[in-house]
C-alpha cells in the first residue's frame, strides 16, 4: 500500500469517524424516542400474553394468587422442578361447553357483522354521495354515539326491548302483536346490541373507500348499458372491497370476545366466550382455566387480525 | 338514479333512527316521575336529585375522572411519540413490530387485555413487589396501554396527511431535532393531540371490562358501579346519569366540530 493511499484511507477514516459520532448522537436520541413507546407496549401488551400462556399451564389452587408455580426451586439438591399442566387445554376440548361457546361466539359475531355491513353500506354510500356541510353533519352523527358511553348505549336497549318496553308498546299500539314478545334476554337482542354498538366501526372505513371511488367508472358502466344493480355488483362492490374487509374485521374481532352485550342483553344461556372467560375468572376463580380460554380465543383471532394488518398495509401503499 | 338515491336516503334515515332512538328514549325517561321506568308518570327531575345524593356513584365518578385525566395525559405523551416515530423516523429495526402492535390494543377483545394485564400485575408483584396491590395505578397503566393506541393512530394519520416540507425547511435552517419537534411538529399536530386526549379521556371513562379485572377493592370506577346497578334491571338514576354524560359529550363534540370548521374557513 503506498503512502498516498494510506493517508487517503486515514482521511476517509477521520471523516467517517466524525460522521459516525454525529450520527451516533442522533441515533441515540432517535432510539430513546423510539424505545419509550415500544418498551411500554412490550411490557404492558406483549409480555402479558406470555404471562397468560404461562398461567394457562398452571394448576388452580387455593392460594394467593390462586394457581401453582411453574418452577419450584429445590436449593439443597440444586433441582428446578418444572410443572406444566396441559389439563386445562384438554378440558377445553373434552367439555363440549367450551367448544360450543367458541362456535357460538364466532357465529354470533359473523351474523352480526353481516347485518352491520348490510345497514352500514347504504349509510356510508349516502354520506359519501353528499358534499360540504351535509357530509360533515352526517359524519358527526355517525361518530357522536362512538363518543358516548358504550355501556350506557347498551343499557338504553334494555329499556327499549323490555317486555313492557318501547318497542313492544309500539308494536302493540299499531296492532302488529297482541301480546308483548320476549326480546330482551334473547340472542336477537345480542345481535341488535352488537350491530348497534359497532355500526360506526363499519361505516367509517366504508365511507373512506366509497369517498375515493371513481365516479367515472360507474358512469361508464351505465353508459355501456348496465343497470343499476349490475353496476353495483360489477363495479361499486368490488371497488369498495378494501373498506368492506376492514369494516367487517373491525366489527368481527372485538365482537367475538364481547362480554357486556351478552351479559346485559343476552339470555342466561347465550353462550359467548367472553362471558365464559369472565365467569371462569370472577365466579369460579379458576385463573388457569380463564387463561387457557383466553389463549384459545387469541389463537382463533390471530388469523383475522393478520388479515386486517395486511389489508391496512396494502391500503397504505 | 332518483330511485337509487331514494333507497339510499330512506335506508340511511332508518339507520340514523336506529342509532339515536335508544339514546333519546333514555333521555326522555330520565325525566319520568314514575319509579316504574316504562310507565310515564309525568315530568320530574327527582332522579337527578337522587343521583347527586348517591355517595357511591359520586365516589366512583371521582375515581373515574381522576383515572381518565391521568390516563389521557399519559396516553398523549406516549401516543404522540409512537405516532411520530412511525410516520417521521423512517425505517428502523423493529418498526414492523411496533406498527403492528400499536394498533392491536384497539381491536383486542377487552376480556383478553384485562385478564392478561391483571396476571402481569400479579406476577410482577410476586417477583419485584411492584405494583403493591391493585388500585388506581394499575387501572391507569391498563387504560393508558389501549388509549395510547388511539392517540398514536390519530397522530399518525394527521402526520401522514401533512407534507413534511415545513419540517424539512426548519431542518435546512439548522433546527436541532428537539426544537424542530417542539416548534414545528407539535403545533401542527395540536388538533390531533386535542382530539386524541379527549378520545383517550372518554375511552378511559367508559371502560368496564379492563377496569374490573385490574382494579382493587374500594376502587370501583363509575362503569363498574353502573354495571352492578343495571345488571339487575333498568334504574332511573342511571338514566339521569346517562343523560348528563351524553349531553356533556354532545356539547363537547359539536362545539369542537364547530371550532374546527371555523378554523378551516379562516385558513
Amino acid at each position: 500500500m503506498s503512502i498516498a493511499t494510506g493517508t487517503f484511507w486515514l482521511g476517509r477514516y477521520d471523516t467517517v469517524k466524525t460522521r459516525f459520532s454525529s450520527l451516533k448522537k442522533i441515533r441515540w436520541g432517535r432510539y430513546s424516542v423510539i424505545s419509550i413507546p415500544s418498551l411500554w407496549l412490550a411490557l404492558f401488551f406483549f409480555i402479558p400474553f406470555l404471562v397468560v400462556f404461562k398461567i394457562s399451564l398452571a394448576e388452580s389452587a387455593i392460594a394467593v394468587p390462586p394457581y401453582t408455580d411453574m418452577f419450584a426451586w429445590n436449593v439443597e439438591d440444586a433441582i428446578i422442578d418444572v410443572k406444566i399442566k396441559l389439563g386445562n387445554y384438554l378440558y377445553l376440548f373434552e367439555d363440549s361447553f367450551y367448544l360450543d361457546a367458541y362456535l357460538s361466539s364466532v357465529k354470533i359475531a359473523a351474523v352480526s357483522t353481516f347485518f352491520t355491513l348490510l345497514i352500514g353500506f347504504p349509510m356510508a354510500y349516502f354520506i359519501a354521495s353528499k358534499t360540504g356541510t351535509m357530509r360533515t353533519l352526517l359524519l358527526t352523527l355517525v361518530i357522536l354515539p362512538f363518543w358516548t358511553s358504550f355501556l350506557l348505549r347498551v343499557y338504553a336497549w334494555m329499556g327499549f326491548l323490555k317486555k313492557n318496553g318501547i318497542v313492544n308498546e309500539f308494536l302493540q299500539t299499531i296492532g302488529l302483536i297482541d301480546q308483548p314478545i320476549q326480546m330482551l334476554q334473547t340472542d336477537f337482542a345480542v345481535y341488535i346490541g352488537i350491530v348497534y354498538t359497532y355500526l360506526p366501526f363499519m361505516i367509517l372505513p366504508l365511507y373512506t373507500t366509497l369517498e375515493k371511488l371513481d365516479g367515472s367508472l360507474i358512469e361508464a358502466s351505465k353508459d355501456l348499458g348496465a343497470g343499476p344493480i349490475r353496476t353495483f355488483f360489477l363495479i361499486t362492490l368490488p371497488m369498495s372491497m378494501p373498506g368492506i374487509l376492514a369494516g367487517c374485521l373491525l366489527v368481527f374481532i372485538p365482537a367475538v370476545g364481547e362480554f357486556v352485550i351478552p351479559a346485559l342483553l343476552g339470555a342466561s344461556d347465550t353462550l359467548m366466550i367472553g362471558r365464559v372467560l369472565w365467569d371462569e375468572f370472577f365466579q369460579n376463580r379458576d385463573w388457569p382455566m380463564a387463561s387457557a380460554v383466553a389463549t384459545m380465543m387469541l389463537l382463533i383471532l390471530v388469523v383475522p387480525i393478520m388479515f386486517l394488518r395486511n389489508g391496512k398495509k396494502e391500503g397504505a401503499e | 338514479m332518483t330511485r337509487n338515491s331514494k333507497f339510499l336516503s330512506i335506508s340511511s334515515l332508518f339507520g340514523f333512527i336506529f342509532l339515536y332512538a335508544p339514546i333519546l328514549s333514555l333521555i326522555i325517561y330520565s325525566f319520568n316521575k314514575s319509579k316504574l321506568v316504562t310507565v310515564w308518570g309525568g315530568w320530574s327531575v327527582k332522579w337527578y336529585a337522587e343521583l347527586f345524593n348517591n355517595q357511591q356513584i359520586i365516589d366512583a365518578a371521582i375515581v373515574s375522572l381522576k383515572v381518565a385525566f391521568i390516563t389521557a395525559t399519559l396516553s398523549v405523551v406516549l401516543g404522540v411519540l409512537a405516532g411520530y416515530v412511525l410516520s417521521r423516523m423512517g425505517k428502523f429495526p423493529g418498526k414492523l413490530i411496533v406498527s403492528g402492535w400499536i394498533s392491536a390494543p384497539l381491536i383486542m377483545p377487552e376480556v383478553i387485555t384485562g385478564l392478561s394485564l391483571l396476571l402481569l400485575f400479579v406476577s410482577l408483584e410476586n417477583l419485584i413487589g411492584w405494583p403493591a396491590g391493585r388500585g388506581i395505578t394499575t387501572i391507569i397503566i391498563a387504560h393508558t396501554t389501549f388509549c395510547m393506541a388511539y392517540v398514536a393512530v390519530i397522530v399518525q394519520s394527521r402526520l401522514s396527511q401533512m407534507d413534511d416540507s415545513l419540517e424539512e425547511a426548519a431542518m435546512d435552517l439548522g433546527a436541532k431535532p428537539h426544537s424542530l419537534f417542539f416548534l414545528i411538529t407539535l403545533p401542527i399536530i395540536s388538533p390531533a393531540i386535542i382530539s386524541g386526549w379527549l378520545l383517550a379521556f372518554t375511552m378511559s371513562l367508559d371502560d368496564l371490562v379492563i377496569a374490573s379485572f385490574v382494579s382493587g377493592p374500594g376502587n370501583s370506577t363509575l362503569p363498574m358501579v353502573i354495571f352492578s346497578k343495571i345488571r339487575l334491571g333498568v334504574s332511573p338514576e342511571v338514566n339521569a346519569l346517562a343523560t348528563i354524560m351524553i349531553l356533556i359529550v354532545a356539547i363537547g363534540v359539536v362545539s369542537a366540530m364547530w371550532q374546527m370548521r371555523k378554523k378551516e374557513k379562516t385558513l
Side-chain angles (χ1 to χ4, degrees):
Chain A
M1 196 195 288
S2 72
I3 295 167
T5 45
T7 40
F8 171 76
W9 281 110
L10 269 179
R12 284 288 289 190
Y13 173 71
D14 270 357
T15 52
V16 167
K17 204 175 80 180
T18 47
R19 204 189 272 168
F20 190 70
S21 68
S22 72
L23 253 181
K24 227 170 152 184
K25 229 189 217 161
I26 297 174
R27 279 262 162 89
W28 189 84
R30 219 176 110 95
Y31 279 113
S32 61
V33 168
I34 291 170
S35 63
I36 295 168
S38 312
L39 282 179
W40 184 286
L41 272 181
L43 180 59
F44 295 119
F45 193 72
F46 182 66
I47 292 177
F49 290 135
L50 301 181
V51 178
V52 168
F53 182 62
K54 184 191 149 214
I55 290 173
S56 73
L57 299 171
E59 200 169 349
S60 174
I62 302 172
V64 180
Y67 53 83
T68 55
D69 270 335
M70 183 183 267
F71 303 104
W73 308 88
N74 190 336
V75 183
E76 260 169 42
D77 306 321
I79 292 173
I80 305 171
D81 280 323
V82 182
K83 192 170 171 189
I84 291 177
K85 185 191 177 192
L86 298 172
N88 297 322
Y89 288 96
L90 289 178
Y91 197 58
L92 275 184
F93 291 103
E94 271 168 18
D95 194 336
S96 63
F97 173 74
Y98 295 102
L99 215 57
D100 288 347
Y102 282 113
L103 288 178
S104 108
S105 303
V106 169
K107 188 196 95 189
I108 289 175
V111 172
S112 324
T113 305
F114 176 73
F115 280 104
T116 316
L117 177 63
L118 219 57
I119 297 173
F121 199 94
M123 291 177 80
Y125 205 105
F126 182 70
I127 298 170
S129 71
K130 295 284 175 230
T131 49
T133 319
M134 191 62 183
R135 183 186 268 193
T136 319
L137 182 74
L138 291 174
L139 272 178
T140 313
L141 280 177
V142 169
I143 298 168
L144 198 59
F146 184 71
W147 285 80
T148 57
S149 168
F150 156 74
L151 182 61
L152 292 175
R153 278 181 293 138
V154 175
Y155 167 69
W157 277 100
M158 287 173 70
F160 228 53
L161 295 177
K162 278 191 323 174
K163 248 205 173 116
N164 46 1
I166 292 166
V167 174
N168 265 321
E169 297 272 320
F170 176 72
L171 291 178
Q172 274 171 305
T173 321
I174 62 169
L176 216 61
I177 51 170
D178 306 323
Q179 290 291 314
I181 32 178
Q182 173 83 27
M183 283 185 285
L184 192 61
Q185 285 157 356
T186 59
D187 285 5
F188 170 73
V190 175
Y191 287 125
I192 288 209
I194 296 177
V195 172
Y196 176 72
T197 42
Y198 290 104
L199 193 57
F201 288 89
M202 180 66 86
I203 294 178
L204 292 178
L206 280 177
Y207 161 78
T208 321
T209 35
L210 285 171
E211 182 208 28
K212 283 184 236 145
L213 203 74
D214 191 354
S216 59
L217 279 172
I218 294 169
E219 264 168 45
S221 148
K222 282 191 179 147
D223 286 348
L224 292 169
I229 294 170
R230 217 174 131 89
T231 306
F232 177 79
F233 280 105
L234 287 179
I235 308 288
T236 316
L237 201 60
M239 285 188 53
S240 43
M241 229 39 196
I244 293 177
L245 195 69
C248 286
L249 290 169
L250 281 177
V251 176
F252 178 80
I253 297 167
V256 169
E258 188 53 57
F259 162 73
V260 175
I261 295 169
L264 289 179
L265 300 178
S268 51
D269 60 348
T270 304
L271 263 186
M272 282 196 82
I273 200 65
R275 210 171 165 191
V276 170
L277 194 158
W278 179 281
D279 290 344
E280 209 65 74
F281 182 84
F282 285 103
Q283 260 140 51
N284 303 350
R285 280 187 67 79
D286 191 341
W287 292 19
M289 197 64 213
S291 303
V293 171
T295 309
M296 278 307 282
M297 199 198 305
L298 208 58
L299 282 180
I300 293 175
L301 292 179
V302 155
V303 176
I305 289 175
M306 286 300 165
F307 256 112
L308 186 65
R309 278 190 50 196
N310 289 342
K312 239 187 220 154
K313 247 179 269 156
E314 273 164 31
E317 281 157 14
Chain B
M1 192 60 210
T2 40
R3 214 182 55 195
N4 257 356
S5 49
K6 211 178 238 166
F7 166 74
L8 276 183
S9 26
I10 289 173
S11 50
S12 299
L13 183 70
F14 275 108
F16 281 112
I17 290 176
F18 175 66
L19 275 180
Y20 282 94
I23 298 178
L24 280 179
S25 81
L26 199 73
I27 294 175
I28 292 169
Y29 273 95
S30 76
F31 294 103
N32 187 4
K33 207 184 234 159
S34 163
K35 171 127 187 114
L36 295 166
V37 185
T38 43
V39 181
W40 185 255
W43 296 89
S44 152
V45 289
K46 75 169 179 192
W47 300 116
Y48 289 85
E50 214 136 298
L51 178 71
F52 288 113
N53 284 326
N54 188 329
Q55 198 55 42
Q56 193 197 9
I57 288 184
I58 290 173
D59 287 345
I62 291 171
V63 170
S64 275
L65 287 173
K66 220 188 270 176
V67 167
F69 187 84
I70 303 174
T71 295
T73 311
L74 257 177
S75 305
V76 161
V77 174
L78 290 167
V80 166
L81 280 178
Y84 184 77
V85 161
L86 287 174
S87 53
R88 281 294 189 270
M89 295 201 114
K91 286 205 167 95
F92 57 88
K95 182 173 182 176
L96 252 172
I97 298 172
V98 177
S99 71
W101 280 115
I102 191 75
S103 54
L106 301 181
I107 46 167
M108 193 56 65
E110 290 166 316
V111 280
I112 297 185
T113 315
L115 177 73
S116 63
L117 275 163
L118 169 81
L119 295 181
L120 174 84
F121 291 142
V122 170
S123 305
L124 274 181
E125 194 183 357
N126 276 357
L127 220 59
I128 58 170
W130 180 88
R134 274 156 272 140
I136 288 185
T137 314
T138 48
I139 305 176
I140 289 171
I141 293 174
H143 281 184
T144 303
T145 304
F146 78 93
C147 288
M148 73 180 267
Y150 280 97
V151 179
V153 169
I154 293 174
V155 167
Q156 202 186 344
S157 78
R158 170 80 185 176
L159 277 172
S160 62
Q161 271 168 21
M162 58 171 245
D163 66 322
D164 48 7
S165 56
L166 268 177
E167 285 156 298
E168 258 169 33
M171 227 161 4
D172 288 346
L173 293 169
K176 297 236 163 51
H178 62 270
S179 49
L180 169 77
F181 178 77
F182 285 106
L183 292 177
I184 309 293
T185 316
L186 216 51
I188 293 174
I189 58 172
S190 60
I193 292 178
I194 294 168
S195 48
W197 192 92
L198 289 171
L199 191 59
F201 188 83
T202 38
M203 288 288 152
S204 166
L205 205 59
D206 191 23
D207 166 68
L208 164 74
V209 174
I210 296 174
S212 301
F213 276 100
V214 301
S215 84
N219 280 306
S220 294
T221 61
L222 193 55
M224 287 162 72
V225 171
I226 294 176
F227 184 68
S228 65
K229 268 184 157 327
I230 62 179
R231 226 183 171 172
L232 308 166
V234 179
S235 133
E237 274 173 331
V238 175
N239 281 357
L241 180 67
T243 304
I244 294 174
M245 289 172 75
I246 288 167
L247 285 185
I248 291 174
V249 167
I251 292 168
V253 170
V254 169
S255 61
M257 293 266 170
W258 191 266
Q259 283 294 326
M260 262 186 236
R261 274 188 69 82
K262 244 170 59 186
K263 225 177 183 180
E264 266 165 27
K265 269 182 193 158
T266 51
L267 274 175

